[in-house]
Amino acid sequence: MNAPIANPARTNPGMDEETFEQFAEQLQRYVRERLIPAEKDVIENDRVPEDILNEMREMGLFGISVPQEYGGAGLNTRQYARVVNIMSYAAPAFRSIFSINIGMFASALKNGGTEAQRQEWYPKLIEGRIACFGLTEPGSGSDSAAMQTTAVPDPDGNGWILNGSKRYITNAPHADVALIMARTEKEALPKNAHVSAFIVPMDTPGISTGSPDKKMGQAGSHISDIMLDDVKVPGDALLGGETGQGFRFAMQSLDNGRISVGAAATAYARRALDSALRYANERKAFGEPIARFQLIQAMLADSETEIYAAECMMKDVTERVDRGENTIAKAAAFKVFASEMCGRVVDRVVQIYGGAGYLAEYDAERFYRDARIYRIYEGTTQILQLQIAKHMLREWEKVHG
């Protein structure tokens, strides 16, 4: 089968490479010198400190993927993933607070927004307004056919009235704007054409959020329900100005989200392994560091091998995106492998720590809890396995059918 042909119109050179490398080096220092020392504060108070949020805004992190012509840094996908990867070496909350902005929300504007919507919302993202992405519901996640949130024409004007609820929405408790998926038709063809997307400011009358959910890990990163009760939005809130395109925009945006999660899981696995290396060289048993024991070395080596594989996948899939290739299956594959890999690595790290790995005073226990969600959000491993297989079967049918 021939390799996919790049679409020159979609090729994204991104930021000048020398400038980007300088920025990446600065960001690595910031993560190690500023964010990692602040992790204790994040964990104890379950929030990212406001002074750090302001620093991240001043660094332009909330708008790094916004095109340069709109005032953003204009990073391409490879550079965007590198930034996410660098930031994700620290506590997950630091990535979580800006990841929706630069991933799914900015991507939806780029892929499906009108020029007026881009002119309005790109500057707000750049200045650090926080976005959230409203797809999942109490009775539906990846199954758009079960979506219950509705948007009906406002009889008093040219706008829309939204009713329904969304669940597990990252950043919802403190977001300034939401991209809400809603049913505009009972059913429609082609498949999923009954779903449309709406840009909804979170201070719109009728919107409310639940209390932040208590979670297994990822302190400082907040999720909650969003309730929509007769929420009136103007006609220009409809993403792209056209109904029936919401699910397509959402799925295109989720590619970026899945790359972000894969990059984050890869970085957190690296952080956990670095911690295990340090501990194995400091902890002694039978008169020598446990790092000298062959079975400890085997766990270290297996972890390094898997992290390296995920790093290579990240580089490959993001370069393919920037060449304009269709990467739905490869983005899913990267997210599956990286998230599952991270789970295996943090499990080994707990084992290397031994009894100390089960105690909250050591980092290994936190790494273990934090990493578990990577295999669930932005598409569970099982949903993505189905997506990858369907893509494979369609490609086989094209060749052999």
Side-chain angles (χ1 to χ4, degrees):
M1 183 172 62
N2 294 329
I5 298 174
N7 179 355
R10 289 182 56 200
T11 302
N12 184 0
M15 181 186 286
D16 169 76
E17 201 58 37
E18 182 178 351
T19 304
F20 175 73
E21 288 301 329
Q22 291 173 351
F23 174 70
E25 184 179 340
Q26 174 192 5
L27 194 62
Q28 286 173 329
R29 288 198 303 271
Y30 181 72
V31 167
R32 283 158 175 77
E33 297 172 9
R34 181 73 168 113
L35 297 189
I36 289 177
E39 288 178 338
K40 184 178 179 181
D41 185 350
V42 171
I43 293 166
E44 289 178 352
N45 296 294
D46 192 28
R47 54 109 178 96
V48 176
E50 193 63 33
D51 56 342
I52 288 182
L53 268 179
N54 289 332
E55 290 167 5
M56 291 169 64
R57 290 184 174 109
E58 289 171 8
M59 293 172 70
L61 288 175
F62 285 82
I64 58 171
S65 61
V66 173
Q68 293 178 357
E69 58 265 35
Y70 296 94
L75 300 192
N76 61 27
T77 306
R78 178 181 58 81
Q79 295 167 340
Y80 148 78
R82 274 275 306 281
V83 168
V84 170
N85 184 261
I86 291 169
M87 288 290 290
S88 299
Y89 190 84
F94 297 119
R95 178 201 76 100
S96 181
I97 198 69
F98 75 99
S99 65
I100 307 299
N101 280 42
I102 66 172
M104 292 184 286
F105 198 93
S107 177
L109 281 175
K110 178 182 177 182
N111 294 328
T114 64
E115 183 59 28
Q117 289 167 341
R118 293 169 186 157
Q119 292 283 355
E120 178 181 3
W121 288 103
Y122 274 151
K124 294 177 181 178
L125 296 182
I126 292 169
E127 71 182 29
R129 303 282 184 93
I130 297 172
C132 63
F133 191 83
L135 175 63
T136 302
E137 298 187 356
S140 70
S142 302
D143 179 15
S144 68
M147 184 177 293
Q148 296 299 308
T149 297
T150 60
V152 298
D154 184 351
D156 298 327
N158 69 339
W160 299 84
I161 301 175
L162 278 62
N163 281 282
S165 62
K166 300 294 179 178
R167 175 156 290 180
Y168 308 136
I169 306 304
T170 299
N171 290 340
H174 41 251
D176 299 296
V177 61
L179 188 65
I180 299 292
M181 304 297 144
R183 179 186 291 269
T184 46
E185 302 283 349
K186 288 186 177 180
E187 296 296 341
L189 292 175
K191 184 180 179 183
N192 299 315
H194 60 289
V195 180
S196 302
F198 296 85
I199 302 173
V200 185
M202 290 295 285
D203 59 359
T204 305
I207 289 188
S208 59
T209 60
S211 299
D213 294 304
K214 294 182 179 180
K215 311 186 305 300
M216 178 189 294
Q218 303 225 352
S221 170
H222 298 148
I223 64 173
S224 75
D225 289 1
I226 295 177
M227 284 72 72
L228 304 117
D229 184 12
D230 287 336
V231 176
K232 293 187 177 183
V233 296
D236 59 11
L238 177 63
L239 186 69
E242 184 179 353
T243 61
Q245 299 298 313
F247 192 79
R248 181 168 65 88
F249 295 147
M251 291 303 100
Q252 290 172 343
S253 301
L254 282 175
D255 277 357
N256 265 18
R258 286 161 184 167
I259 287 171
S260 177
V261 173
T266 302
Y268 213 52
R270 174 66 67 190
R271 170 75 183 282
L273 180 57
D274 286 348
S275 173
L277 271 168
R278 183 177 61 252
Y279 185 83
N281 278 286
E282 293 173 352
R283 173 76 166 91
K284 290 186 177 181
F286 306 104
E288 60 181 325
I290 63 172
R292 296 182 183 175
F293 301 158
Q294 288 183 337
L295 293 181
I296 296 293
Q297 292 174 0
M299 287 190 282
L300 294 172
D302 284 349
S303 297
E304 174 64 27
T305 301
E306 291 196 88
I307 293 170
Y308 175 55
E311 290 170 343
C312 291
M313 290 180 75
M314 182 176 79
K315 182 176 184 294
D316 177 73
V317 71
T318 55
E319 288 179 350
R320 288 174 180 272
V321 173
D322 289 332
R323 290 197 299 266
E325 294 181 20
N326 184 330
T327 56
I328 289 176
K330 284 183 169 56
F334 169 50
K335 194 270 185 182
V336 168
F337 180 82
S339 61
E340 294 287 341
M341 173 277 294
C342 187
R344 292 189 293 270
V345 169
V346 295
D347 186 73
R348 294 185 195 113
V349 169
V350 170
Q351 197 71 12
I352 290 168
Y353 270 74
Y358 203 67
L359 302 182
E361 66 181 281
Y362 292 89
D363 287 339
E365 180 265 353
R366 168 168 63 97
F367 296 151
Y368 190 85
R369 288 184 292 103
D370 285 345
R372 188 59 183 86
I373 190 62
Y374 290 136
R375 293 153 62 188
I376 296 173
Y377 62 13
E378 313 302 355
T380 66
T381 292
Q382 290 69 36
I383 284 292
L384 296 185
Q385 285 173 324
L386 294 177
Q387 186 180 82
I388 294 165
K390 287 177 181 178
H391 179 83
M392 293 168 62
L393 292 170
R394 283 196 299 267
E395 291 301 309
W396 188 91
E397 183 67 23
K398 288 179 184 177
V399 175
H400 302 282

